[in-house]
Amino acid sequence: MAPPRLIKHHLTFTASPYHPDAKYVVIVRNPFDCVVSFYHHSLEDRVNLRMRADTTFDEFFEDFMDGYVMFGHYFEHVLSWYARRNDPNVFFFYYENFKSDPKKTVLALAKFVDASIWEKIRTDNALLSSVLERISFDNLRSGVVIDGDLLQHTDCDEEGHASRNKGADNVSAGEGTHGTEGSPDDPARNSGDSEEEIVALKNFFRRGQVGDWKSYFKPEQERRLRDVYEKRMRGTEMWDVWKDYLGYHD
């Protein structure tokens, strides 16, 4: 592929291929909304992400808290990129800020990617308006459909769903009810006979709301995630950005 090349991934900084001449655009979202969004995303892409079709939010929440979800533990992932946020080739920004002021984010991103692009979009109101309309959530939700991908999956049940969470009847020594022993990235956790399947996926853009988590969390789940959040995030810029959304006022 001729340059410039665009590669999208969900890796931590330490797992990401790195080159000083490459530019890295990193978007982060508060963990409360993130787990709800990731749950629905995983249901839609359950074969590729190795999750049962009947997985409940409560089950997924436990895996999220343990880091036994695709791409690993949320806090380790976000903090690995947060530590590089001031690097000249890293553009680190917040989903919540983008939602509240998309124009500001688009202009900042354009300037980071290419000053000539920034100058063009900054001085052409029609072009800027077109970009903002194209990336609006309503447009993405109504106009983007992903289907027909050839996916690899393992441990399929009789209905062709890849089983990520194991039921109690399938637990053996050293295993939990939501995953096998070992790290989330350990291939042994999901080993099995590989097969191919054509999977039709619905649009990944669901609601995009900030604060949607309040419709899903039980009080005990909120308390547990807040405990971890306060220990890992207090004192960071993320704490300041998200405190109003999450009800912190210190």
Side-chain angles (χ1 to χ4, degrees):
M1 182 187 300
R5 292 175 289 271
L6 175 64
I7 301 174
K8 185 190 80 169
H9 66 68
H10 303 281
L11 303 176
T12 62
F13 174 81
T14 52
S16 174
Y18 182 81
H19 192 282
D21 293 334
K23 293 187 176 182
Y24 297 84
V25 177
V26 183
I27 182 169
V28 296
R29 190 176 188 180
N30 78 76
F32 294 82
D33 281 327
C34 182
V35 62
V36 172
S37 177
F38 197 11
Y39 168 66
H40 287 284
H41 175 91
S42 298
L43 282 179
E44 296 296 345
D45 197 12
R46 58 185 175 271
V47 173
N48 201 30
L49 296 182
R50 306 170 183 174
M51 194 169 88
R52 294 194 330 264
D54 62 349
T55 300
T56 66
F57 176 74
D58 290 346
E59 288 178 308
F60 190 83
F61 177 82
E62 294 302 323
D63 284 352
F64 182 86
M65 292 294 290
D66 292 336
Y68 288 158
V69 290
M70 194 66 73
F71 316 119
H73 202 288
Y74 169 89
F75 291 98
E76 300 301 329
H77 187 286
V78 169
L79 288 169
S80 75
W81 283 104
Y82 177 77
R84 314 297 302 216
R85 69 193 183 283
N86 293 323
D87 289 4
N89 62 335
V90 174
F91 184 81
F92 185 94
F93 71 110
Y94 300 89
Y95 178 81
E96 293 80 5
N97 288 351
F98 170 71
K99 285 283 291 183
S100 64
D101 194 345
K103 177 180 177 180
K104 181 178 180 180
T105 302
V106 165
L107 288 173
L109 177 57
K111 189 174 185 179
F112 168 79
V113 172
D114 189 314
S116 64
I117 295 176
W118 169 72
E119 183 63 26
K120 184 175 182 179
I121 199 172
R122 183 181 68 86
T123 57
D124 188 334
N125 288 331
L127 177 59
L128 177 58
S129 296
S130 176
V131 170
L132 292 174
E133 191 280 328
R134 285 174 177 268
I135 66 171
S136 69
F137 198 86
D138 287 343
N139 184 63
L140 292 173
R141 182 168 51 189
S142 64
V144 178
V145 177
I146 304 172
D147 62 6
D149 289 335
L150 184 63
L151 303 178
Q152 294 282 342
H153 64 87
T154 59
D155 293 338
C156 292
D157 60 21
E158 293 180 354
E159 297 179 356
H161 303 308
S163 178
R164 160 64 180 79
N165 297 316
K166 294 180 178 292
D169 293 340
N170 296 325
V171 176
S172 61
E175 294 182 348
T177 57
H178 300 291
T180 59
E181 185 178 34
S183 69
D185 298 324
D186 185 354
R189 287 176 56 84
N190 294 291
S191 61
D193 295 331
S194 178
E195 59 182 275
E196 294 181 348
E197 179 177 318
I198 298 294
V199 182
L201 302 177
K202 295 181 180 178
N203 195 318
F204 282 161
F205 298 92
R206 188 180 60 92
R207 298 188 68 181
Q209 295 180 352
V210 177
D212 192 32
W213 65 272
K214 296 176 183 178
S215 301
Y216 289 82
F217 273 59
K218 296 176 180 176
E220 178 62 12
Q221 292 171 332
E222 179 180 350
R223 182 197 65 77
R224 289 172 57 198
L225 185 51
R226 283 189 183 276
D227 283 347
V228 179
Y229 178 80
E230 290 166 10
K231 292 175 183 177
R232 302 300 301 271
M233 296 302 203
R234 191 183 293 273
T236 68
E237 180 185 87
M238 290 177 282
W239 178 274
D240 294 330
V241 171
W242 291 332
K243 64 181 182 181
D244 290 338
Y245 297 111
L246 301 179
Y248 293 101
H249 303 290
D250 57 344

